[in-house]
Amino acid sequence: MALLLLITVGVTAGWFASIIARTEAVGDIMWQIATALVASIAVGLFLNSGTVLGGLSLIALGSACLAAIAALIAYHAIAARKTDGADI
């Protein structure tokens, strides 16, 4: 049950981010969903003591949401830096 909730949190956060950022390219939408999904699963399972099939604690769920948001903010900061045209 915990894994299902973490997947739902990650996918929903990535999808909302694509709506808020008004992303239209399918590849960019998938990257946002994947970024939020990986962040929410990693943090959620870490704080839930690695329990996948059991229940999910409220602290792990909240932290998974915050991790997904933080990962998406970092993703958009990196994506904006790439589109600025600055060559390093």
Side-chain angles (χ1 to χ4, degrees), residues 2-4 8-9 15-16 22 30 32 34 36 41 43 57 67 74 76 84:
L3 185 61
L4 183 61
T8 304
V9 165
W15 180 59
F16 280 146
R22 296 183 182 181
M30 290 299 165
Q32 291 175 12
I41 288 176
V43 171
S57 69
H76 283 283
D84 283 342

Side-chain angles (χ1 to χ4, degrees), residues 8-81:
T8 304
V9 165
V11 169
T12 304
W15 180 59
F16 280 146
S18 68
I19 291 172
I20 292 170
R22 296 183 182 181
T23 305
E24 295 181 8
V26 176
D28 291 339
I29 293 171
M30 290 299 165
W31 273 110
Q32 291 175 12
I33 291 173
T35 301
L37 181 64
V38 168
S40 68
I41 288 176
V43 171
L45 289 180
F46 177 74
L47 291 176
N48 205 35
S49 302
T51 304
V52 177
L53 299 177
L56 185 66
S57 69
L58 189 60
I59 293 173
L61 181 64
S63 297
C65 290
L66 292 176
I69 292 168
L72 287 166
I73 289 171
Y75 171 79
H76 283 283
I78 292 169
R81 184 177 294 174

